[in-house]
Amino acid sequence: MAKIIPFKAVRPTADKVSLVTSRTYDDYSPAELAAQLDFNPYSFLHIINPGYALQQKLTNDKRFKMVRNKYVDFKKDAIFLQEEQPVFFIYEIQASKNTYTGILCATSVEDYQNNVIKKHENTLEYRVNLFKDYLHITGFNAEPVLITYPKQIDLNTWISLKKKTTPIYEFSTSNKEKHILWRIDTQSDIDWLTQKFESIPNLYIADGHHRSASSEMLFNQDKNTNNKNLEFFMSFLIAEDNVKIFEFNRLIHDLNNHSKSDFLNLLAFNFEVRLKGQEIWKPQKKYQFGMYLDGEFYALTLKNENHTFDGILNKLDAQILYDTVLHPILGIEDLRNDDRIEYLPGNKSITQLKEKVDSGQFEVAFMLYPIHINEIKEIADNDLIMPPKSTYIEPKFRSGIVIYEI
């Protein structure tokens, strides 16, 4: 069973929420970031980038302490308020093509340790340590772990009823999204929701493996402090049929000293290679790959007779591309750290990928078909790890709308 609890959230006042909340820091171009920091004094970006005005290098310890101090300033200035009692939230993001609705709550570190909350990605130790130190010094987390659960008809009905009530926030953002937040604070609703998730055997992390691993590491480090908040971490729970899974496309800087003709001949051993010319083409189903090379698109279809599927991982398109092309032909060994490969999420236009190759920055690009949620669950259920950059998953949470204090 999965354990979830309400928490005493910190959040912006309703009159300032559209000014405070921000996209993820890395999502901003330098010009956008400078504009926000120069002209919006309420932006949450001021908290997570407090040294902007100083323009100087800071140690992590000093920077995290500055983050903490800036956060405290926002609370003192009444930009943030804190719930008097623990609550849940229903949060909805209305994007241009999809609407995402889920539950904001605190999930259990113990469930994470016992594999009730299941994982499918490896984490980098230095990133886990870094964010653990961030949580320890700043004392808060503003980005929940995105976690999916199997579709529940009665839960969907309950959420629909709650959405008919008056929200505490309803605002639009410059990237043309609408954000709506409902507070769930009656004891009967809290009890019903808690008991509902107790009947769900497993939850699955969709995005946020490093955040959840850092929360576990912080709990192990500080568990003797009797801080009950350490036993949980903030999560956004969403039905598995309500997430959007995109692929990560691959861009390669060179052909590993192969000529174009030799490269195409090597591909033909494992793939049926069809020239598509100027037709912008992307895979239509599993075991198909798109390729852009020398100003032309190609369709690559795996020849099953030359490929043996001897395990769950080997059926993944990302693993197949690595096993048949990236490693043996292009000489790429480490998908995470090799500087000859870069990635473009599938929510970006194929024309962006084309432009990167046409510019001469890259020699060849590969397009993958998105992985299915059932494949993610199968990997997690078997305690396996997907190749790096196998999925790009939406929704992406807006920073600063709800904060979990530690």
Side-chain angles (χ1 to χ4, degrees):
M1 67 177 68
K3 182 178 182 180
I4 69 168
I5 64 168
F7 63 100
K8 293 177 68 174
V10 174
R11 55 184 179 84
T13 57
D15 64 313
K16 297 181 179 68
V17 62
S18 63
L19 295 170
V20 172
T21 64
S22 68
R23 306 196 305 272
T24 301
Y25 181 85
D26 292 336
D27 198 34
Y28 289 89
S29 68
E32 286 181 300
L33 184 62
Q36 284 290 317
L37 293 169
D38 284 339
F39 301 111
N40 180 5
Y42 297 113
S43 175
F44 191 74
L45 294 168
H46 285 288
I47 294 177
I48 57 179
N49 190 23
Y52 169 72
L54 301 177
Q55 295 294 321
Q56 65 180 22
K57 296 279 187 179
L58 298 170
T59 65
N60 288 331
D61 185 72
K62 287 183 179 179
R63 183 163 61 88
F64 296 161
K65 287 178 179 176
M66 289 177 68
V67 170
R68 174 65 186 175
N69 292 337
K70 194 67 176 179
Y71 173 68
V72 170
D73 287 343
F74 266 51
K75 292 182 72 176
K76 287 180 179 177
D77 292 340
I79 298 170
F80 287 137
L81 57 82
Q82 186 164 26
E83 298 289 344
E84 294 182 359
Q85 300 295 329
V87 298
F88 291 122
F89 297 97
I90 295 172
Y91 178 40
E92 182 166 282
I93 304 170
Q94 297 177 6
S96 58
K97 296 181 180 179
N98 299 289
T99 295
Y100 307 101
T101 308
I103 298 160
L104 276 167
C105 65
T107 48
S108 167
V109 170
E110 184 180 12
D111 281 354
Y112 176 85
Q113 293 172 326
N114 294 337
N115 215 29
V116 173
I117 298 175
K118 297 197 172 187
K119 316 94 178 166
H120 66 262
E121 285 186 7
N122 265 331
T123 55
L124 297 174
E125 186 175 359
Y126 83 91
R127 285 186 59 191
V128 174
N129 266 299
L130 183 66
F131 194 63
K132 181 264 295 180
D133 292 340
Y134 173 90
L135 294 174
H136 177 73
I137 294 172
T138 66
F140 72 88
N141 181 24
E143 292 192 17
V145 177
L146 182 65
I147 293 180
T148 67
Y149 58 84
K151 181 180 178 180
Q152 308 286 314
I153 294 175
D154 56 346
L155 185 51
N156 287 351
T157 301
W158 181 85
I159 289 174
S160 296
L161 287 172
K162 297 306 166 187
K163 285 169 56 178
K164 293 179 180 179
T165 63
T166 302
I168 57 174
Y169 296 149
E170 186 171 4
F171 65 97
S172 296
T173 56
S174 58
N175 60 341
K176 298 182 178 180
E177 290 182 346
K178 188 174 184 179
H179 298 259
I180 312 174
L181 192 74
W182 293 266
R183 179 172 49 208
I184 306 300
D185 56 2
T186 65
Q187 194 59 49
S188 59
D189 282 332
I190 288 173
D191 290 343
W192 186 88
L193 195 57
T194 302
Q195 292 167 14
K196 178 61 192 175
F197 276 90
E198 286 179 351
S199 70
I200 298 175
N202 291 110
L203 304 176
Y204 294 83
I205 296 176
D207 189 25
H209 285 80
H210 285 88
R211 293 192 292 277
S212 50
S214 297
S215 295
E216 179 196 24
M217 183 177 287
L218 182 63
F219 168 75
N220 291 334
Q221 173 184 289
D222 296 345
K223 59 186 175 183
N224 294 327
T225 61
N226 295 319
N227 179 357
K228 293 297 183 182
N229 287 352
L230 289 172
E231 298 176 12
F232 297 87
F233 55 91
M234 184 168 64
S235 294
F236 184 42
L237 307 182
I238 187 167
E240 62 187 35
D241 63 343
N242 194 208
V243 297
K244 178 65 175 176
I245 304 174
F246 295 92
E247 70 281 8
F248 259 111
N249 297 316
R250 276 73 167 130
L251 294 130
I252 317 298
H253 282 285
D254 60 74
L255 295 183
N256 196 28
N257 295 320
H258 295 295
S259 67
K260 176 183 174 181
S261 60
D262 286 345
F263 180 60
L264 291 172
N265 287 334
L266 290 168
L267 290 177
F269 177 77
N270 283 305
F271 299 92
E272 176 189 335
V273 181
R274 287 179 292 131
L275 177 64
K276 307 299 286 188
Q278 297 303 306
E279 175 189 350
I280 295 179
W281 190 89
K282 59 188 299 185
Q284 307 300 304
K285 59 183 180 180
K286 189 172 171 61
Y287 305 141
Q288 284 186 341
F289 303 84
M291 183 174 73
Y292 185 67
L293 172 67
D294 194 25
E296 295 180 306
F297 286 91
Y298 293 80
L300 311 180
T301 302
L302 186 69
K303 295 178 180 177
N304 289 343
E305 64 269 21
N306 290 340
H307 194 85
T308 302
F309 300 110
D310 57 358
I312 298 168
L313 279 175
N314 288 339
K315 296 179 183 179
L316 295 179
D317 283 354
Q319 189 66 43
I320 290 169
L321 185 67
Y322 176 78
D323 289 340
T324 59
V325 181
L326 301 183
H327 185 212
I329 300 176
L330 294 178
I332 292 171
E333 295 188 9
D334 187 343
L335 289 172
R336 196 182 295 275
N337 297 310
D338 196 316
D339 59 9
R340 294 175 55 230
I341 184 170
E342 294 186 22
Y343 302 89
L344 190 71
N347 66 335
K348 304 294 185 183
S349 169
I350 293 298
T351 57
Q352 290 188 38
L353 182 145
K354 178 180 182 297
E355 289 168 358
K356 287 178 177 290
V357 176
D358 288 342
S359 70
Q361 183 181 1
F362 299 94
E363 189 79 14
V364 62
F366 296 95
M367 292 140 277
L368 283 73
Y369 188 73
I371 194 170
H372 193 274
I373 186 65
N374 289 340
E375 293 180 281
I376 293 177
K377 292 173 66 176
E378 187 178 20
I379 293 292
D381 287 341
N382 285 275
D383 298 322
L384 298 173
I385 299 299
M386 291 197 304
K389 299 293 185 181
S390 292
T391 59
Y392 180 88
I393 299 179
E394 290 184 347
K396 298 298 183 186
F397 196 81
R398 197 157 180 87
S399 296
I401 191 169
V402 173
I403 296 168
Y404 181 83
E405 289 195 335
I406 301 165

